[in-house]
Amino acid sequence: MGFVPTPKESEQGRSGERRSFKVRGPGMLLGQLSDPRPLARRWAVRDLAAFPKVAVPLLEFLLQESDASVREVIFTTLLAIGGDVVTRGLLPLLQSEDPGLRQGAVELLQQLPLDRSFLMDDLLREPEPAIRLQVVKILRDFPNARVVEWVRELLGRDQSATVCAAAMGVLAEVGDKDDVALINRVQARFSDDPYLLFASDAAIHLLEEEDVGVSQGAMELFRSFFHRKTSIVLQDLDCHWLQPLLQSEMDAIGVKGIRGFLAYLRCDPFGAEMVRLVDAARVALGEGREGLCDGPQNLCLVRHLLDETVKFKKPGEPLRLWAVNAGANGEAFALMLQVLQGWSALEKTPVSMIVSEQVPERLEVARSGVFEADVLAQLPGDILERHFTPLPGNQSYRIDKTLHDAVEFRLLDLHDSQQTRSMRGFDVIVCRGVLSRLDLVARRRLSETFFDALLPGGFLLLGVGESMSRISSLFKVRGFPESTVFQKPRS
Amino acid sequence: MKTALIVDDDALARRYRATSLSAAGFSIHEAANGLEALELASRLSFDLVVSTIHMPMMDGLEMTRILRREESTRTIPVALVDVGATVDLRTRVEVLLAGANLYLEGNLSVEMLQRIARLLGGVATA
């Protein structure tokens, strides 16, 4: 047994594999929403993103749909469609008794990139405090210059201490020193509410600090923003490493203080600046270079995940792995070597692996099987000797042909649903350092792709600092001594 | 030292409860939604979870249900806080059905939070 080449299409007998998919019209796709299979409904909803006029029937369908996985895809499609119709259609959901619909609406309204000032004035005057509280949460990351004005007006009149306390957090990010007087008036209005007093003192503390450079207060605001956007929790030491980069990013776009920088990031939260900061944070958190080294997740794979997976297989049925964008940096081979070295059941279990790359040049590097010596530096000597051949000059090595030939390399555009829907039936997907570089719609789409590509009980391994906790609630969190991984529920 | 997990999507609210419970003798971890909390709970052990109910991605009710299902977390005391400014019978019932130990309404004082945390988390009162 051991590593075996991925079966060819004809042998696999999977009718969906790599065939071209006929593009269907909106009428047929809407009809497919009544299909009893959630997978069919999910894909119909994904395809409907190409037809913005279906926003209204899709919003109606959202209210009837009870399957969480389909609901998530509907929210992503609505986010991709955007526009006034979607915005107005989502507003009633803020009052829904269904927490999934309510929170989904809040998340989408935070992200929809259009000017909704005409709605915000009304929403902030909603009689129900619980709705105003949700609207304040929307304002927190709302890319609009009027946010500070709305927050000030709200704080001047709102009779709910809870709503005002939440607004204090927003004001601390978007306000200035002159707002301290307003905060003092709010404190006097709610002098018996301990949390409001705490929140307003914290806001005063941050607002009174001069907004120049990356001060301690600035870093506090950035940490909170960064956590909201990426789910990466920065500790003091990480901040120490990030501080110079933050300063240089601020200098590059010409802002003096953190509030200006956060306003800039709010307008383009997945732009180049944010990607650089996320990359730097991941390095600070220990991701480092992804070479052929033994990562804790690979150990987790051979010590726990493969054994658990194989229990549900019939004898001789192969385990299927998909390593995403993991060929050119040698990550996929690191995984193979770890399995070869550390998983004793490999002798009686066939394992196949697909390595996808998004860019043809990277695919060619992956296919060549040649790695620079420094990429292999952390590899034990015996492994290097057994599985690699030095090329002339000893500056690079070629991986063993048997291992190389057991991998199927595939050019795959992760953002092309016609291509990704052929990826099915995997037991493990490894995708490191990809999600954190994508915008919200692409992240959600990719998590949906992984959900459909995994078999029930299949595992998803993400990179350091990456998490499903800001993207999708469909995966189960599994904690192991070596690492935390995500699992598609078995039922 | 006992360890508490504070869960809230509002950073200031987290800090308020973290400061209060820290002064009551707890070591603190924070999460911004139910999923982040479950990630932490999968690799760390906690003596107490104090969570708000309404959060993105996964709310406090669902988080509590999952904590109660998992062998390693089913006995952790969970206090769910509703600061939604609306007293809601349905939410109270859902909190009990989810398996939370306590339902707290509104913004509690530091002293009250500390008393509750000590009782639930098993910290001896001074």
Side-chain angles (χ1 to χ4, degrees):
Chain A
M1 295 294 179
F3 279 97
V4 296
T6 303
K8 298 290 175 242
E9 282 171 45
S10 55
E11 294 163 6
Q12 281 179 317
R14 265 191 294 275
S15 58
E17 201 74 30
R18 280 191 174 182
R19 69 183 163 88
S20 63
F21 289 86
K22 193 177 169 186
V23 178
R24 285 162 296 175
M28 194 178 279
L29 292 168
L30 286 171
Q32 202 178 316
L33 298 183
S34 52
D35 193 298
R37 296 164 303 164
L39 178 67
R41 300 205 296 282
R42 281 200 297 276
W43 278 98
V45 173
R46 283 185 74 153
D47 290 344
L48 280 169
F51 306 98
K53 287 187 178 168
V54 301
V56 172
L58 210 48
L59 282 157
E60 287 166 5
F61 175 61
L62 175 64
L63 299 177
Q64 302 158 21
E65 179 60 59
S66 57
D67 186 290
S69 70
V70 184
R71 269 189 182 186
E72 282 214 1
V73 183
I74 298 172
F75 276 124
T76 313
T77 294
L78 290 172
L79 185 59
I81 291 173
D84 257 13
V85 175
V86 172
T87 305
R88 287 182 188 281
L90 289 170
L91 293 177
L93 301 187
L94 294 176
Q95 302 181 58
S96 171
E97 287 196 344
D98 182 328
L101 289 178
R102 200 170 53 231
Q103 289 301 337
V106 172
E107 283 162 43
L108 251 64
L109 288 167
Q110 280 176 337
Q111 302 297 332
L112 285 170
L114 80 165
D115 182 3
R116 293 179 301 275
S117 2
F118 66 99
L119 292 169
M120 207 50 84
D121 287 320
D122 292 343
L123 285 172
L124 288 167
R125 289 179 185 278
E126 274 284 336
E128 181 60 57
I131 295 177
R132 298 201 301 279
L133 185 62
Q134 300 295 344
V135 179
V136 169
K137 288 183 178 183
I138 293 170
L139 279 185
R140 194 161 58 179
D141 289 316
F142 197 46
N144 190 302
R146 284 191 62 199
V147 166
V148 66
E149 187 186 321
W150 285 320
V151 174
R152 284 170 183 154
E153 284 172 11
L154 175 96
L155 284 169
R157 64 166 185 264
D158 205 289
Q159 292 306 307
S160 161
T162 300
V163 174
C164 287
M168 289 294 174
V170 183
L171 191 63
E173 278 192 23
V174 299
D176 57 42
K177 275 183 191 172
D178 293 342
D179 289 316
V180 172
L182 169 65
I183 295 174
N184 286 332
R185 287 199 295 278
V186 179
Q187 281 186 325
R189 207 158 76 227
F190 300 105
S191 57
D192 58 348
D193 189 288
Y195 175 54
L196 182 121
L197 297 177
F198 174 88
S200 48
D201 282 344
I204 289 172
H205 174 74
L206 288 166
L207 289 166
E208 281 185 335
E209 190 180 272
E210 198 176 359
D211 188 16
V212 178
V214 190
S215 62
Q216 199 181 344
M219 208 33 131
E220 195 178 320
L221 290 173
F222 178 73
R223 272 159 95 147
S224 172
F225 175 87
F226 199 65
H227 185 196
R228 287 203 303 275
K229 289 292 172 196
T230 66
S231 85
I232 296 175
V233 180
L234 296 170
Q235 306 299 338
D236 289 345
L237 193 61
D238 310 323
C239 290
H240 172 75
W241 290 109
L242 270 184
Q243 201 163 340
L245 176 64
L246 201 53
Q247 184 64 61
S248 73
E249 293 291 343
M250 284 164 58
D251 293 342
I253 62 168
V255 293
K256 286 184 181 163
I258 194 69
R259 288 182 178 83
F261 188 59
L262 293 184
Y264 181 88
L265 290 180
R266 263 184 221 107
C267 294
D268 190 13
F270 304 101
E273 291 78 13
M274 197 64 175
V275 168
R276 278 194 289 274
L277 289 163
V278 168
D279 283 348
R282 292 179 67 229
V283 170
L285 287 165
E287 180 90 318
R289 180 169 188 175
E290 289 168 3
L292 292 180
C293 56
D294 302 346
Q297 273 195 344
N298 293 358
L299 284 173
C300 179
L301 183 78
V302 296
R303 288 179 182 167
H304 313 283
L305 309 186
L306 295 178
D307 284 335
E308 187 174 321
T309 307
V310 86
K311 279 184 201 161
F312 293 89
K313 295 277 178 194
K314 293 174 192 154
E317 192 184 353
L319 271 169
R320 299 186 71 223
L321 313 182
W322 173 17
V324 182
N325 289 7
N329 61 4
E331 197 188 332
F333 288 116
L335 203 66
M336 282 184 98
L337 291 168
Q338 188 78 58
V339 175
L340 270 172
Q341 260 191 306
W343 193 46
S344 56
L346 184 66
E347 286 172 15
K348 45 189 183 208
T349 314
V351 179
S352 71
M353 180 186 267
I354 289 182
V355 176
S356 69
E357 281 288 353
Q358 200 144 356
V359 183
E361 293 76 20
R362 285 180 64 86
L363 185 74
E364 282 316 305
V365 173
R367 274 192 176 134
S368 75
V370 175
F371 299 97
E372 299 296 319
D374 62 340
V375 174
L376 307 176
Q378 293 177 55
L379 216 56
D382 60 324
I383 295 285
L384 189 66
E385 204 170 302
R386 204 181 315 153
H387 298 293
F388 291 85
T389 309
L391 296 178
N394 284 345
Q395 294 303 305
S396 54
Y397 292 77
R398 185 185 298 280
I399 195 156
D400 181 88
K401 188 173 183 312
T402 322
L403 285 181
H404 182 268
D405 289 353
V407 173
E408 179 189 328
F409 297 96
R410 191 180 283 193
L411 188 65
L412 183 82
D413 183 353
L414 294 169
H415 309 304
D416 182 342
S417 62
Q418 297 299 317
Q419 293 185 33
T420 56
R421 81 174 70 191
S422 69
M423 304 299 278
R424 288 282 184 277
F426 291 95
D427 298 288
V428 178
I429 296 175
V430 181
C431 179
R432 295 180 184 135
V434 177
L435 283 167
S436 54
R437 299 171 151 270
L438 302 177
D439 67 28
L440 189 68
V441 174
R443 272 183 210 184
R444 291 177 68 124
R445 281 289 185 239
L446 193 53
S447 78
E448 290 157 12
T449 295
F450 292 155
F451 186 80
D452 287 336
L454 283 169
L455 291 166
F459 292 100
L460 174 62
L461 280 59
L462 301 176
V464 172
E466 291 180 322
S467 169
M468 276 286 136
S469 63
R470 292 288 165 136
I471 305 171
S472 168
S473 55
L474 297 178
F475 292 88
K476 193 177 168 189
V477 182
R478 293 286 306 275
F480 294 94
E482 300 81 6
S483 179
T484 297
V485 301
F486 299 90
Q487 184 178 30
K488 179 173 175 173
R490 287 203 178 274
S491 56
Chain B
M1 186 182 253
K2 300 276 184 178
T3 308
L5 175 59
I6 312 285
V7 194
D8 200 306
D9 60 328
D10 186 321
L12 267 179
R14 281 201 306 274
R15 205 195 321 158
Y16 176 65
R17 291 181 201 129
T19 311
S20 309
L21 267 58
S22 184
F26 285 87
S27 152
I28 305 294
H29 288 265
E30 297 181 25
N33 64 45
L35 275 174
E36 276 188 28
L38 294 175
E39 269 192 72
L40 285 172
S42 73
R43 58 175 197 269
L44 302 169
S45 58
F46 295 105
D47 301 292
L48 173 67
V49 175
V50 179
S51 171
T52 189
I53 293 178
H54 308 290
M55 292 177 289
M57 297 313 300
M58 183 185 283
D59 65 19
L61 294 167
E62 181 61 12
M63 177 201 72
T64 307
R65 285 184 204 110
I66 295 174
L67 287 172
R68 289 294 172 254
R69 276 207 299 267
E70 298 293 323
E71 187 63 40
S72 59
T73 56
R74 72 172 43 146
T75 58
I76 304 175
V78 176
L80 289 179
V81 186
D82 189 358
V83 293
T86 312
V87 178
D88 176 1
L89 181 63
R90 180 192 158 112
T91 307
R92 285 183 187 177
V93 173
E94 283 184 347
V95 165
L96 292 173
L97 291 174
N101 300 65
L102 197 61
Y103 173 53
L104 306 168
E105 273 172 14
N107 295 314
L108 301 182
S109 68
V110 171
E111 294 74 22
M112 185 61 82
L113 261 174
Q114 290 177 340
R115 281 178 63 188
I116 289 167
R118 283 192 185 110
L119 283 169
L120 275 181
V123 174
T125 330

